[in-house]
Amino acid sequence: MATSLITPVEDRKRLARRLAGSGRGFAEQYGFRVTNNPASLFQVLYLSVLLARRGDFRRALDGARAVRDEGWDSAARLARSLHEDRVRVLRASGQRGDVDALAAVLGDLARTVVERYRGDLRRLRAVAHHDPVRERALLAELPGVDDQVVDLFLREAQALWREVAPVADRRALAAARRLGLGRSADDLAGLATGESEQLAWLVGALARVDLEHRYAEVTGRS
C-alpha cells in the first residue's frame, strides 16, 4: 500500500518546484512542442489518442513521432494521407493490436478537425467561447477522443488554454497520491501557485514519474 512520503507543506512545495523545474510538460519532454498553433495542437491531440491505448507508452510516443516525421504534422496533411500509408507507418513504428483500426481513427480524426474547424483546434476553443465544459464536450465529439484522451490533451493544453486548468490525468494523480502531494488537480494547482503553465509542467512530470517508475529517484529512497 502506497503511503505519503512528503508531509510538511513546505516540503511538498519544494518537491513540486523540483518536479516542475525543467520548464516543460509531458509532451515537450518527449519532443512535441506545445504552442498555440494549429499543427502543434493537433500533434498533441493525436499523441494523446495514442497514449490512451493500452501498452507501453514509449510505443505510443514512437507512433506519434512516426506520424509527424512522415510529414503528417497537421490535420490537413494527415487528412490527405492514404489509409494504407498510415497503416504502414504505424506498423513500422511498432504499434500493436488493431493497427488498421487505429489508422482509420487517425484519418477520421484529421478529416473531422479539418471539416469542423478548418484544421485548427483554436477554432474549437472559439466555438466553445473559452468555456472549459464546452471545450471538453466538443473535444469528446471528435473520432477516437474519449474522456481519457481529453484529459491527456488538456493536461498539455492548459499551459495555453488557461481556462481549462486545473487538469491532471490519472497517471499524474497516481504519482501525486504516492508522493503525498495531493489527491486532486486542485491540490496540485495549489502547489503550482495557481499558474496553469507551472501546473502543466508539474502534472507532466508526475505522469512521467509514474510511467517510468521513477519513484525511488524522486524520493531518494532505494
Side-chain angles (χ1 to χ4, degrees), residues 106-138:
L106 292 180
D108 290 344
L109 174 64
R111 285 188 292 274
T112 302
V113 171
V114 170
E115 291 165 3
R116 293 184 187 175
Y117 306 111
R118 302 181 196 173
D120 187 349
L121 290 169
R122 295 175 304 181
R123 292 180 180 273
L124 178 151
R125 188 185 185 201
V127 168
H129 301 292
H130 293 207
D131 176 353
V133 174
R134 185 62 179 147
E135 286 166 354
R136 280 182 169 274
L138 291 176

Coordinates of all heavy atoms in Angstrom, one line a residue, residues 106-138:
L106 N -7.2 7.7 -36.9 CA -6.4 8.9 -37.1 C -6.9 9.6 -38.3 O -6.9 10.9 -38.3 CB -5.0 8.5 -37.1 CG -4.3 8.0 -35.8 CD1 -2.9 7.7 -36.0 CD2 -4.5 9.0 -34.7
G107 N -7.2 8.9 -39.4 CA -7.7 9.6 -40.6 C -9.0 10.3 -40.4 O -9.2 11.4 -40.8
D108 N -9.9 9.6 -39.7 CA -11.2 10.2 -39.4 C -11.0 11.4 -38.5 O -11.7 12.5 -38.7 CB -12.1 9.2 -38.7 CG -12.6 8.1 -39.6 OD1 -12.5 8.2 -40.8 OD2 -13.1 7.0 -39.0
L109 N -10.1 11.3 -37.5 CA -9.9 12.5 -36.6 C -9.4 13.7 -37.4 O -9.9 14.8 -37.2 CB -8.8 12.1 -35.5 CG -8.4 13.2 -34.6 CD1 -9.5 13.7 -33.7 CD2 -7.2 12.6 -33.7
A110 N -8.4 13.5 -38.2 CA -7.9 14.6 -39.0 C -8.9 15.2 -39.9 O -9.1 16.4 -40.0 CB -6.7 14.1 -39.9
R111 N -9.7 14.4 -40.6 CA -10.7 14.9 -41.5 C -11.8 15.7 -40.8 O -12.2 16.7 -41.3 CB -11.3 13.7 -42.4 CG -10.4 13.2 -43.5 CD -11.1 12.2 -44.3 NE -11.4 11.0 -43.6 CZ -10.6 9.9 -43.5 NH1 -9.4 10.0 -44.1 NH2 -11.0 8.9 -42.9
T112 N -12.1 15.2 -39.6 CA -13.2 15.9 -38.8 C -12.7 17.2 -38.3 O -13.4 18.2 -38.4 CB -13.6 15.0 -37.7 OG1 -14.1 13.7 -38.1 CG2 -14.7 15.7 -36.9
V113 N -11.4 17.3 -37.9 CA -10.9 18.6 -37.4 C -10.8 19.5 -38.6 O -11.1 20.7 -38.4 CB -9.5 18.3 -36.8 CG1 -8.8 19.7 -36.5 CG2 -9.6 17.6 -35.5
V114 N -10.5 19.0 -39.8 CA -10.4 19.9 -41.0 C -11.9 20.4 -41.3 O -12.1 21.6 -41.6 CB -9.8 19.2 -42.2 CG1 -10.0 20.0 -43.4 CG2 -8.3 19.0 -41.9
E115 N -12.8 19.5 -41.3 CA -14.2 19.8 -41.7 C -14.9 20.8 -40.8 O -15.5 21.7 -41.2 CB -15.0 18.5 -41.9 CG -14.6 17.7 -43.1 CD -15.1 16.3 -43.0 OE1 -15.9 16.0 -42.1 OE2 -14.8 15.5 -43.9
R116 N -14.7 20.5 -39.5 CA -15.4 21.3 -38.5 C -14.6 22.6 -38.1 O -15.3 23.6 -37.8 CB -15.6 20.5 -37.2 CG -16.6 19.3 -37.4 CD -16.8 18.6 -36.1 NE -17.6 17.4 -36.3 CZ -17.9 16.5 -35.3 NH1 -17.5 16.7 -34.1 NH2 -18.6 15.5 -35.6
Y117 N -13.3 22.5 -38.1 CA -12.5 23.6 -37.5 C -11.4 24.1 -38.4 O -10.5 24.8 -38.0 CB -11.9 23.2 -36.2 CG -13.0 22.7 -35.2 CD1 -13.0 21.4 -34.8 CD2 -14.0 23.6 -34.7 CE1 -14.0 20.9 -34.0 CE2 -14.9 23.1 -33.8 CZ -15.0 21.8 -33.5 OH -16.0 21.3 -32.6
R118 N -11.5 23.7 -39.7 CA -10.5 24.1 -40.7 C -9.1 23.7 -40.3 O -8.1 24.4 -40.6 CB -10.6 25.6 -41.0 CG -11.9 26.1 -41.5 CD -11.9 27.6 -41.8 NE -13.3 28.1 -41.9 CZ -13.5 29.4 -41.9 NH1 -12.5 30.3 -41.9 NH2 -14.8 29.9 -42.0
G119 N -9.0 22.6 -39.6 CA -7.7 22.1 -39.2 C -7.1 22.8 -38.0 O -6.0 22.5 -37.6
D120 N -7.9 23.6 -37.3 CA -7.3 24.5 -36.3 C -8.1 24.3 -35.0 O -9.3 24.8 -34.9 CB -7.3 25.9 -36.7 CG -6.6 26.9 -35.8 OD1 -6.3 26.5 -34.7 OD2 -6.4 28.0 -36.2
L121 N -7.6 23.6 -34.0 CA -8.3 23.4 -32.7 C -8.5 24.7 -32.0 O -9.4 24.7 -31.0 CB -7.5 22.4 -31.9 CG -7.5 21.0 -32.4 CD1 -6.6 20.1 -31.6 CD2 -9.0 20.4 -32.3
R122 N -7.9 25.8 -32.3 CA -8.2 27.0 -31.7 C -9.6 27.5 -32.0 O -10.2 28.2 -31.3 CB -7.1 28.1 -32.1 CG -5.7 27.8 -31.6 CD -4.7 28.8 -32.2 NE -4.8 28.8 -33.6 CZ -4.0 29.6 -34.4 NH1 -3.1 30.5 -33.8 NH2 -4.1 29.6 -35.7
R123 N -10.1 27.1 -33.2 CA -11.4 27.4 -33.6 C -12.4 26.6 -32.7 O -13.5 27.1 -32.4 CB -11.7 27.0 -35.1 CG -10.9 27.9 -36.0 CD -11.2 27.6 -37.5 NE -10.4 28.4 -38.4 CZ -10.8 29.6 -38.8 NH1 -12.0 30.0 -38.5 NH2 -10.1 30.3 -39.7
L124 N -12.1 25.4 -32.3 CA -12.9 24.7 -31.3 C -13.0 25.5 -30.1 O -14.1 25.6 -29.5 CB -12.3 23.3 -31.1 CG -13.0 22.4 -30.1 CD1 -12.8 20.9 -30.4 CD2 -12.5 22.6 -28.6
R125 N -11.9 26.0 -29.6 CA -11.9 26.8 -28.4 C -12.8 28.1 -28.6 O -13.5 28.4 -27.6 CB -10.5 27.2 -28.1 CG -10.3 27.9 -26.7 CD -8.9 28.4 -26.6 NE -8.6 29.0 -25.3 CZ -7.6 29.8 -25.0 NH1 -6.8 30.2 -26.0 NH2 -7.4 30.3 -23.8
A126 N -12.7 28.7 -29.7 CA -13.5 29.9 -30.0 C -15.0 29.5 -30.1 O -15.9 30.2 -29.5 CB -13.1 30.5 -31.3
V127 N -15.4 28.4 -30.7 CA -16.7 27.9 -30.8 C -17.3 27.7 -29.4 O -18.5 28.0 -29.1 CB -16.9 26.7 -31.6 CG1 -18.2 26.0 -31.5 CG2 -16.6 27.0 -33.1
A128 N -16.4 27.2 -28.5 CA -16.8 27.0 -27.1 C -16.9 28.2 -26.2 O -17.3 28.2 -25.1 CB -15.9 25.9 -26.5
H129 N -16.4 29.4 -26.8 CA -16.4 30.6 -26.1 C -15.5 30.5 -24.8 O -15.8 31.1 -23.8 CB -17.8 31.1 -25.7 CG -18.7 31.3 -26.9 ND1 -18.4 32.3 -27.9 CD2 -19.7 30.7 -27.4 CE1 -19.3 32.3 -28.8 NE2 -20.1 31.3 -28.6
H130 N -14.4 29.7 -24.9 CA -13.5 29.5 -23.8 C -14.2 29.0 -22.6 O -13.6 29.2 -21.5 CB -12.8 30.9 -23.5 CG -11.9 31.3 -24.6 ND1 -10.8 32.1 -24.4 CD2 -11.9 31.1 -25.9 CE1 -10.2 32.4 -25.5 NE2 -10.8 31.8 -26.5
D131 N -15.2 28.3 -22.8 CA -15.9 27.6 -21.7 C -15.3 26.2 -21.5 O -15.5 25.4 -22.5 CB -17.4 27.5 -22.0 CG -18.2 26.7 -20.9 OD1 -17.6 26.1 -20.0 OD2 -19.4 26.7 -21.0
P132 N -14.7 25.9 -20.4 CA -14.0 24.6 -20.4 C -14.9 23.4 -20.4 O -14.5 22.3 -21.0 CB -13.3 24.6 -19.0 CG -13.9 25.7 -18.2 CD -14.4 26.7 -19.3
V133 N -16.1 23.5 -19.9 CA -17.1 22.4 -20.0 C -17.4 22.1 -21.5 O -17.4 21.0 -22.0 CB -18.3 22.7 -19.2 CG1 -19.4 21.6 -19.4 CG2 -18.0 22.8 -17.7
R134 N -17.7 23.2 -22.2 CA -18.0 23.1 -23.7 C -16.8 22.6 -24.5 O -16.9 21.8 -25.4 CB -18.5 24.4 -24.2 CG -19.0 24.4 -25.6 CD -20.2 23.5 -25.8 NE -20.7 23.5 -27.2 CZ -21.2 22.4 -27.7 NH1 -21.3 21.3 -27.1 NH2 -21.6 22.5 -29.0
E135 N -15.6 23.1 -24.1 CA -14.4 22.6 -24.8 C -14.2 21.1 -24.7 O -13.9 20.4 -25.6 CB -13.2 23.4 -24.3 CG -13.1 24.8 -24.7 CD -12.1 25.6 -23.9 OE1 -11.5 25.1 -22.9 OE2 -11.9 26.8 -24.3
R136 N -14.4 20.6 -23.4 CA -14.3 19.2 -23.2 C -15.4 18.4 -24.0 O -15.1 17.4 -24.6 CB -14.5 18.8 -21.7 CG -13.3 19.1 -20.9 CD -13.6 18.7 -19.4 NE -12.4 18.7 -18.6 CZ -11.5 17.6 -18.6 NH1 -11.8 16.5 -19.2 NH2 -10.4 17.7 -17.9
A137 N -16.6 18.9 -24.1 CA -17.7 18.3 -24.8 C -17.3 18.2 -26.3 O -17.5 17.2 -27.0 CB -19.0 19.0 -24.6
L138 N -16.8 19.3 -26.9 CA -16.5 19.4 -28.3 C -15.4 18.5 -28.6 O -15.3 17.8 -29.7 CB -16.2 20.8 -28.7 CG -17.4 21.8 -28.7 CD1 -17.0 23.2 -29.1 CD2 -18.5 21.3 -29.7

